[in-house]
Amino acid sequence: MQIQNNFSLKKYNTFGIEAKAKQFVAVQNEAELNTVLKNHSLDKKFILGGGSNMLLTQDIDALVIHIDIKGKRIVQENENFVWVESMAGENWHEFVLWTINQDFGGLENMSLIPGNVGTTPVQNIGAYGTEIKNVFVFCNAMNIETQTKKVFSKLDCKFGYRESTFKNECKDQYIITSVVFKLTKHNHKINISYGDISKELENKNIDTPTLIDVSNAVIAIRQSKLPDPKELGNSGSFFKNPIISKAEFDEIHVLHPEMPHYILSETTVKVPAGWLIEQAGFKGKRFGDAGIHKNQALVLVNYGNATGQEILNVAKDIQATVFKEFGIAIEAEVNVI
Ligand code: EPU
């Protein structure tokens, strides 16, 4: 474990933004994490996981602690279920494939989501009809100030749409070190309710899909719509899909009857931000090296040397235009640093 000064974070954020950390250290186990936190109790700290959900708009004037704790294991099993634990620094998609290869069901719809396991509970990642809260059992975390360990149950996490306690009450207080998921060993609940998945399976003439079939379908859809961060810097969906009141929705719907929407409750409706951004004319546009992806308007991209500030300016322009045209405020999903 070595502390490095003035360290480039370009390879540590999927947007590929050049920014420097005043100091940087990668920790490979809980003991190292404990030591770093103790020895630097008075220093400003910044916790870095897979770097897949942040936009760096400036250098980080702090000690950046990269959580690189690896390992995965079966903790417990019975006839029907298996409880698997993954350490925080495992790559999410590799972990998903490891579970699928053993025919453990529950994560297949979340194939190919970028990032590491430790950050998945923070924003309750989700895709194609499921979210990690549906398979999450608990996570282990370390308090940054006191180094005491705490177990967060599903209830403690207060999961919501791309939300959890780690973004709210517990923000900046804990580091998640591992996560435990409960998966099925047979009678898998195959979920192909999301239109794109069933279409993809139909095209391949698959009518009784296995976990691998679903995973492959999700991978194919994601690859067709979402850019690979290794080829084109991005952070997945830059914005959340806004949730508006039914009354507000009714007014907008009269003017835009073609607007896609999902009724969430009697009083709330979710609207796809991607649609709003496309209608506002931004899809596929490029401003210098910052742009909006051509196949999915929710994704902002770095064509090479965009600064975080340039990406942020595009985001602000999108927010203002969408608000002007639809009266709907869209909120960033990624953490703007
Ligand atoms: N749409 C457009 N134009 C676009 C993009 C979308 O009109 O450029 C419309 C689509 O036609 C569709 C609707 O918006 O009617 C929804 O689109 P899509 O199915 O692509 O999903 P999304 O709502 O845009 C969400 C998640 C994604 C996740 C997909 C699939 C959020 C913020 N994003 O996107 O998550 O992969 O559903 O489940 O909830 C991520 O968080 O990084 C991410 C990629």
Side-chain angles (χ1 to χ4, degrees):
M1 182 175 57
Q2 195 198 346
I3 295 189
Q4 302 183 67
N5 295 318
N6 206 24
F7 185 86
S8 167
L9 296 171
K10 193 171 169 82
K11 287 198 191 119
Y12 288 82
N13 70 101
T14 59
F15 249 125
I17 302 282
E18 177 57 53
K20 294 251 167 24
K22 186 175 154 204
Q23 290 191 300
F24 176 92
V25 67
V27 295
Q28 281 168 348
N29 53 51
E30 283 190 26
E32 286 188 353
L33 177 60
N34 194 310
T35 306
V36 168
L37 292 175
K38 226 178 239 149
N39 292 350
H40 295 269
S41 58
L42 298 177
D43 297 340
K44 238 170 60 185
K45 291 175 278 296
F46 180 94
I47 311 304
L48 177 65
S52 62
N53 201 43
M54 64 175 193
L55 176 66
L56 292 167
T57 62
Q58 55 189 323
D59 289 342
I60 300 187
D61 185 28
L63 168 63
V64 172
I65 304 175
H66 174 47
I67 309 302
D68 196 22
I69 310 176
K70 299 268 201 269
K72 41 193 185 270
R73 65 187 183 116
I74 294 171
V75 194
Q76 193 189 323
E77 60 187 305
N78 63 21
E79 209 196 316
N80 300 320
F81 297 101
V82 59
W83 283 255
V84 289
E85 177 178 30
S86 169
M87 303 309 287
E90 287 288 336
N91 172 272
W92 171 258
H93 181 58
E94 282 167 25
F95 173 62
V96 171
L97 293 182
W98 179 78
T99 63
I100 294 172
N101 282 336
Q102 297 175 81
D103 202 32
F104 299 155
L107 305 182
E108 57 285 355
N109 291 44
M110 293 180 282
S111 297
L112 212 62
I113 295 183
N116 289 353
V117 172
T119 36
T120 59
V122 177
Q123 56 153 2
N124 180 25
I125 62 162
Y128 304 105
T130 190
E131 295 174 322
I132 72 145
K133 76 162 199 243
N134 298 332
V135 281
F136 177 96
V137 186
F138 66 86
C139 63
N140 291 301
M142 192 182 285
N143 185 295
I144 296 175
E145 222 165 84
T146 63
Q147 292 89 54
T148 45
K149 292 187 191 175
K150 182 171 155 80
V151 174
F152 283 82
S153 69
K154 193 191 281 194
L155 217 60
D156 293 334
C157 290
K158 299 190 183 161
F159 289 127
Y161 166 60
R162 297 293 197 274
E163 280 292 344
S164 77
T165 189
F166 302 107
K167 278 179 135 182
N168 298 295
E169 305 88 343
C170 291
K171 191 171 161 56
D172 298 334
Q173 291 171 44
Y174 289 92
I175 295 171
I176 294 170
T177 52
S178 76
V179 188
V180 174
F181 301 96
K182 182 182 171 187
L183 307 175
T184 50
K185 283 166 72 173
H186 43 83
N187 294 336
H188 304 306
K189 285 194 202 116
I190 299 285
N191 172 1
I192 54 165
S193 55
Y194 208 90
D196 284 353
I197 299 190
S198 43
K199 249 185 266 156
E200 182 71 28
L201 291 167
E202 241 167 66
N203 289 345
K204 288 190 180 157
N205 290 320
I206 300 173
D207 30 68
T208 44
T210 62
L211 299 178
I212 293 181
D213 293 331
V214 176
S215 172
N216 285 340
V218 168
I219 290 172
I221 300 162
R222 288 189 74 99
Q223 284 176 337
S224 71
K225 282 193 178 175
L226 301 165
D228 179 351
K230 286 193 198 99
E231 283 156 26
L232 189 61
N234 76 89
S235 238
S237 302
F238 192 91
F239 300 100
K240 290 197 223 181
N241 287 328
I243 296 171
I244 59 176
S245 72
K246 177 79 169 51
E248 203 182 335
F249 169 76
D250 287 342
E251 274 180 36
I252 302 169
H253 199 215
V254 173
L255 301 171
H256 304 278
E258 74 291 3
M259 178 164 82
H261 57 276
Y262 317 97
I263 311 275
L264 294 182
S265 72
E266 273 179 21
T267 51
T268 53
V269 180
K270 186 147 99 178
V271 177
W275 185 86
L276 298 171
I277 297 167
E278 182 172 347
Q279 297 305 307
F282 284 97
K283 194 171 184 171
K285 277 216 171 148
R286 183 171 172 169
F287 305 88
D289 264 1
I292 299 97
H293 193 241
K294 61 179 191 318
N295 299 335
Q296 166 54 287
L298 253 192
V299 178
L300 302 190
V301 295
N302 173 11
Y303 282 100
N305 292 312
T307 63
Q309 199 57 53
E310 282 165 345
I311 305 258
L312 186 62
N313 288 344
V314 171
K316 285 184 174 158
D317 193 9
I318 290 172
Q319 283 170 315
T321 311
V322 165
F323 190 76
K324 209 168 96 198
E325 290 195 13
F326 297 95
I328 298 178
I330 53 172
E331 226 182 275
E333 190 206 296
V334 307
N335 295 314
V336 177
I337 310 293

